[in-house]
Amino acid sequence: ARELVLVFESLILDGSGGEEQLRHVVRTQSNLGWLRRFPALLLTASNDGTSKIWRASTGECIRSLVGHQNFVGSAVFSCDGKRILTASGDCTAKLWSTESGRCSLTLEGHQDMVCSAVFSGDGEHIVTASGDCTAKLWNANTGQIGRAHV
């Protein structure tokens, strides 16, 4: 399998004159089909609790998704590119609008960090996997839990 590694750095001003440089790293060995579908945008997850959308051609950060209370370990585009799904150490997954950057759903119900969150092929469902040893199937439009598996 081919490996793609992308590193973006952003500079954060802390308000008191200090600076903190953050590294957003994407490493994948999976199918790179998403890159062919959305060549203009890249998506990163970060330990600072954010996910960022980047313009691939320039490396410019065009949007930050802010709302998690702990690290974001996973971030994925929906198949149509209109939504973003993030999974976090705060025991939640969140659904975001790619265009506006607004959170439209917070999926709560896990007792430990959400390690991974993915869309179904039709975009109607979301599957989350957690450190609590469960996987949950959610309705992507309502946020209702359809099934939980231990």
Side-chain angles (χ1 to χ4, degrees):
R2 294 184 321 184
E3 181 175 66
L4 173 68
V5 179
L6 303 165
V7 178
F8 296 94
E9 295 187 9
S10 56
L11 193 61
I12 305 299
L13 303 178
D14 67 11
S16 65
E19 299 177 346
E20 180 181 352
Q21 193 163 9
L22 300 175
R23 290 174 58 101
H24 293 257
V25 179
V26 176
R27 179 182 299 265
T28 183
Q29 290 181 322
S30 61
N31 182 342
L32 299 179
W34 60 270
L35 190 56
R36 286 188 292 278
R37 284 196 306 268
F38 308 109
L41 300 178
L42 295 173
L43 184 61
T44 60
S46 178
N47 285 339
D48 70 355
T50 67
S51 183
K52 295 182 185 282
I53 305 169
W54 304 84
R55 190 172 318 284
S57 60
T58 65
E60 171 193 9
C61 178
I62 58 175
R63 190 159 292 108
S64 291
L65 308 177
V66 178
H68 282 293
Q69 302 303 309
N70 205 326
F71 69 89
V72 177
S74 170
V76 296
F77 286 107
S78 61
C79 288
D80 63 7
K82 294 180 181 178
R83 299 179 293 173
I84 293 169
L85 181 60
T86 56
S88 174
D90 65 7
C91 305
T92 69
K94 291 184 181 285
L95 192 62
W96 310 81
S97 163
T98 302
E99 186 177 332
S100 71
R102 290 192 192 123
C103 178
S104 59
L105 278 176
T106 298
L107 306 176
E108 298 177 291
H110 284 292
Q111 302 304 310
D112 200 345
M113 68 177 160
V114 180
C115 306
S116 179
V118 294
F119 287 98
S120 62
D122 63 6
E124 294 296 315
H125 295 92
I126 292 168
V127 176
T128 55
S130 171
D132 65 10
C133 298
T134 65
K136 296 185 186 298
L137 177 68
W138 310 79
N139 180 302
N141 298 309
T142 67
Q144 296 297 311
I145 296 176
R147 288 193 178 171
H149 300 276
V150 179

